[in-house]
């Protein structure tokens, strides 16, 4: 007579071991094993007259009677747990399974039903009175936790309508972050500062939600600028459009655009918008767009100054020569003094290119240094996989320095993406400067060696297959020979 009880507790212990040790590892296989154990446990109880729908036998032995009732109650609880797990594993969609709300709510309802059934069938308590009493208690409890219940029902609505999923990057009620968890009470967001923000479901259900992860291959990048009202809007918009064309990460469809957002007494607000195909590119594209807007506005003659300050045109003597300002923006000439820049400025010659014009071809040895004054140029290189765009040049960027400094042929093809204005400086005009400034010559070679090393990493053919320091020395020797330098 004791064997069924012992075997019953052995089966319960086996189920606990399978649950806690996660054996087998596969979730579906583990659920099937537990269902088989539960089936064997059920067959044992019913074959031993331990029916979960009535009181346990052994009324003449109180310890055995209590043990039998415990097994019957365990049967109800095990069934409730396995039922909730089976529905969660086999029936619920994968996206719902990642969210704990349905699992928690459904599990609570099933366990509540199992507890009521166990009290009614096994312990033979008056269920009607218990239900009536629990109903009154539920009303009192509901009034006490109505805000929490509001979160629960709002969570059901959110999980049903699915405005976002775990892993999406969203903005809820002004809080932007990545969705880490969705449960019966709140949504957990990981912000860009690394903080966890908990947004109650009731707030999320009423708030305006922006899901940046939908559609997954289209993410907007917007830059807002306030420009002095003295600047002509057509000039500003053209400069912003060139800045948008200079960002390589921007996709062509939908097309980027610039517009006048609003006007005030002290400024005109402009907005430049583009789109990228990957959320991870958004931050870098935004920063690059800000920099390009600054450069293209400066190249268009739009002065960025504190707003609200009356415009005062500079006196003629104080105006800086445009060519000197262009040379000052070139990284190669960063070490030159104002006097040295003033000597180079008159030697610059102006050249215009239409969209699609070829500025520089591979294997050509340029005999001049070209500096972009306005417009956007595309730099394309050849590698093992074919043609790849490695850079886009904007105002202040230089090209042809390899041929000018060391007589090295170009390794890239450069063409105009927009109408462009380029100023050129001939090799013979640079030679006196290099002879008088050895440090400037070495700095130029250092910068050029880094660019050549970047091209080498992209797979383009290199002039010398060694380290960056060897490329620098190779370029320096070529400069000495080309310009007849003695240092």
């Amino acid at each position: 007579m004791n064997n069924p009880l012992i075997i019953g507790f052995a089966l319960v212990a086996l189920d606990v071991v399978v649950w806690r040790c996660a054996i087998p590892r596969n979730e579906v296989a583990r659920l099937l094993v537990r269902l088989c154990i539960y089936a064997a446990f059920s067959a044992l109880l019913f074959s031993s007259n331990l029916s979960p729908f009535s009181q346990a036998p052994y009324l003449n032995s109180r310890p055995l009677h209590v043990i039998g009732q415990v097994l019957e109650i365990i049967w109800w609880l095990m069934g409730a747990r396995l039922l909730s797990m089976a529905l969660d594993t086999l029936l619920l969609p994968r996206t719902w399974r990642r969210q704990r709300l349905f699992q928690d709510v459904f599990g609570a309802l099933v366990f509540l039903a199992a507890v009521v059934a166990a009290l009614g069938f096994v312990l033979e308590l008056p269920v009607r009175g218990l239900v009536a009493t629990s109903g009154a208690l539920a009303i009192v409890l509901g009034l006490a936790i109505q805000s929490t219940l509001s979160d629960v029902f709002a969570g059901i609505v959110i999980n049903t309508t699915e405005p976002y999923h775990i892993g999406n990057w969203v903005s809820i009620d002004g809080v932007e972050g990545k969705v880490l968890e969705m449960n019966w009470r709140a949504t957990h967001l990981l912000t860009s500062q690394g903080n966890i923000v908990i947004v109650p479901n009731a707030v999320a259900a009423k708030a305006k939600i922006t899901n940046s992860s939908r559609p997954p291959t289209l993410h907007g990048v917007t830059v807002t600028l306030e420009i002095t009202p003295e600047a002509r809007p057509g000039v500003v918009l053209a400069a912003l459009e060139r800045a948008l064309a200079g960002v390589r990460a921007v996709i062509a469809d939908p097309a980027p655009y610039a517009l006048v957002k609003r006007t005030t007494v002290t400024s005109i607000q402009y907005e430049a918008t583009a789109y990228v195909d990957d959320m991870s590119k958004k931050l870098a594209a935004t920063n690059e767009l800000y920099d390009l807007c600054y450069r293209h506005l400066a190249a268009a003659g739009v002065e960025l100054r504190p707003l609200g300050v009356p415009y005062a045109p500079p006196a003629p003597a104080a105006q800086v020569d445009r060519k000197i300002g262009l040379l000052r923006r070139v990284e190669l000439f960063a070490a030159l003094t104002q006097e040295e820049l003033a000597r180079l400025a008159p030697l610059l010659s102006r050249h215009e290119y239409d969209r699609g014009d070829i500025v520089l071809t591979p294997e050509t040895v340029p005999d001049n240094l070209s500096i972009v004054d306005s417009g956007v140029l595309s730099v394309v290189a050849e590698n093992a996989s074919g043609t790849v765009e490695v850079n886009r040049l904007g105002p202040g960027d230089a090209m042809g320095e390899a041929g000018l400094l060391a007589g090295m042929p170009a390794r890239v093809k450069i063409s105009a993406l927009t109408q462009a204005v380029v100023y050129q400086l001939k090799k013979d005009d640079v030679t006196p400067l290099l002879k008088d400034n050895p440090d400037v010559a070495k700095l130029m070679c250092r910068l050029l060696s880094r660019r050549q090393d970047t091209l080498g990493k992209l797979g383009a053919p290199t002039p010398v297959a060694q380290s960056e320091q060897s490329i620098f020395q190779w370029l320096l020797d070529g400069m000495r020979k080309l310009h007849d330098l003695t240092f």
Side-chain angles (χ1 to χ4, degrees):
M1 184 172 60
N2 295 332
N3 289 337
L5 301 179
I6 296 174
I7 297 175
F9 279 106
L11 290 175
V12 172
L14 179 61
D15 180 76
V16 172
V17 170
V18 172
W19 167 49
R20 297 298 297 175
C21 297
I23 303 172
R25 295 297 179 184
N26 183 271
E27 187 177 5
V28 177
R30 184 165 62 253
L31 175 61
L32 293 177
V33 170
R34 296 188 65 184
L35 288 174
C36 292
I37 295 175
Y38 183 71
F41 182 51
S42 301
L44 175 69
L45 293 184
F46 284 103
S47 64
S48 304
N49 294 324
L50 289 170
S51 173
F53 297 97
S54 62
Q55 274 198 354
Y58 319 125
L59 296 178
N60 57 345
S61 176
R62 183 170 180 81
L64 295 179
H65 177 72
V66 171
I67 292 174
Q69 286 186 312
V70 169
L71 283 177
E72 291 178 352
I73 293 174
I74 290 176
W75 183 89
W76 283 104
L77 298 180
M78 282 181 62
R81 176 58 180 166
L82 291 176
L83 176 61
S84 62
M85 287 181 61
L87 292 178
D88 179 57
T89 303
L90 302 178
L91 298 182
L92 285 183
R94 183 175 297 272
T95 55
W96 288 16
R97 293 187 59 205
R98 297 173 59 190
Q99 303 161 7
R100 291 171 44 192
L101 178 64
F102 284 100
Q103 180 181 358
D104 292 344
V105 172
F106 183 76
L109 293 177
V110 172
F111 267 98
L112 179 61
V115 170
V116 172
L119 293 176
F121 290 113
V122 178
L123 302 181
E124 295 185 350
L125 295 178
V127 177
R128 290 186 177 180
L130 180 64
V131 171
T133 304
S134 62
L137 292 175
I139 294 175
V140 175
L141 184 62
L143 292 175
I145 59 171
Q146 54 183 325
S147 62
T148 302
L149 290 177
S150 176
D151 289 332
V152 172
F153 286 107
I156 294 175
V157 172
I158 290 174
N159 281 265
T160 302
T161 57
E162 298 183 340
Y164 51 83
H165 293 148
I166 292 177
N168 288 168
W169 192 271
V170 299
S171 175
I172 304 175
D173 196 33
V175 179
E176 186 174 0
K178 182 180 180 181
V179 180
L180 293 183
E181 181 182 347
M182 299 169 61
N183 55 37
W184 57 270
R185 178 185 174 274
T187 297
H188 296 228
L189 300 180
L190 175 64
T191 66
S192 57
Q193 289 78 29
N195 301 321
I196 299 294
V197 177
I198 300 175
V199 182
N201 288 333
V203 174
K206 299 177 182 179
K208 175 183 174 182
I209 300 174
T210 302
N211 193 334
S212 301
S213 299
R214 295 182 184 176
T217 58
L218 186 65
H219 308 281
V221 174
T222 300
V223 169
T224 303
L225 300 170
E226 291 193 7
I227 306 298
T228 174
E230 284 84 6
R232 180 181 173 185
V235 174
V236 176
L237 291 173
L240 295 181
E241 288 173 356
R242 290 193 292 269
L244 290 167
V247 183
R248 284 195 298 146
V250 169
I251 60 178
D253 187 22
Y257 62 90
L259 55 84
V260 178
K261 189 70 174 177
R262 65 185 181 92
T263 61
T264 65
V265 176
T266 59
S267 67
I268 299 179
Q269 189 178 88
Y270 297 85
E271 191 173 88
T273 302
Y275 301 91
V276 295
D277 57 3
D278 192 339
M279 189 68 182
S280 62
K281 299 179 182 179
K282 190 172 181 179
L283 178 60
T286 302
N287 293 335
E288 185 180 1
L289 183 55
Y290 266 113
D291 179 71
L292 288 173
C293 287
Y294 176 89
R295 292 162 57 186
H296 283 276
L297 288 171
V302 178
E303 182 182 1
L304 300 179
R305 58 181 177 82
L307 300 176
V309 179
Y311 177 70
Q319 293 182 356
V320 180
D321 187 275
R322 180 180 180 84
K323 294 181 179 179
I324 295 178
L326 177 61
L327 290 173
R328 187 180 291 115
R329 294 199 299 267
V330 179
E331 189 179 11
L332 290 174
F333 299 140
L336 299 184
T337 63
Q338 182 71 15
E339 292 75 14
E340 291 169 334
L341 292 177
R343 290 202 304 268
L344 284 178
L347 305 176
L348 291 171
S349 59
R350 189 175 188 272
H351 300 267
E352 295 186 4
Y353 295 92
D354 291 327
R355 182 176 181 179
D357 288 349
I358 304 300
V359 181
L360 186 64
T361 57
E363 304 306 325
T364 300
V365 180
D367 60 353
N368 54 64
L369 178 69
S370 299
I371 304 170
V372 182
D373 180 55
S374 64
V376 181
L377 305 179
S378 175
V379 182
V380 176
E382 295 283 345
N383 60 11
S385 59
T387 301
V388 58
E389 186 180 41
V390 297
N391 197 11
R392 289 187 181 179
L393 304 179
D397 289 329
M399 53 186 164
E401 63 271 27
L404 178 74
L405 298 180
M408 187 171 66
R411 301 165 58 194
V412 296
K413 174 185 176 182
I414 302 178
S415 58
L417 284 180
T418 66
Q419 286 187 337
V421 175
V422 176
Y423 283 87
Q424 293 183 349
L425 190 65
K426 294 182 179 179
K427 176 181 72 68
D428 294 337
D429 297 330
V430 180
T431 299
L433 176 66
L434 298 178
K435 289 183 177 180
D436 296 337
N437 298 274
D439 292 337
V440 173
K442 292 179 180 178
L443 175 62
M444 290 181 176
C445 284
R446 182 73 65 186
L447 295 174
L448 181 56
S449 67
R450 292 174 184 170
R451 296 184 184 181
Q452 297 297 320
D453 183 63
T454 301
L455 287 175
K457 291 179 180 178
L458 291 173
T462 57
V464 54
Q466 297 181 30
S467 64
E468 179 185 339
Q469 180 63 31
S470 298
I471 295 177
F472 165 74
Q473 189 62 46
W474 185 82
L475 290 171
L476 188 60
D477 292 341
M479 177 188 291
R480 288 169 178 164
K481 182 178 178 181
L482 183 64
H483 295 275
D484 194 21
L485 304 179
T486 57
F487 60 83

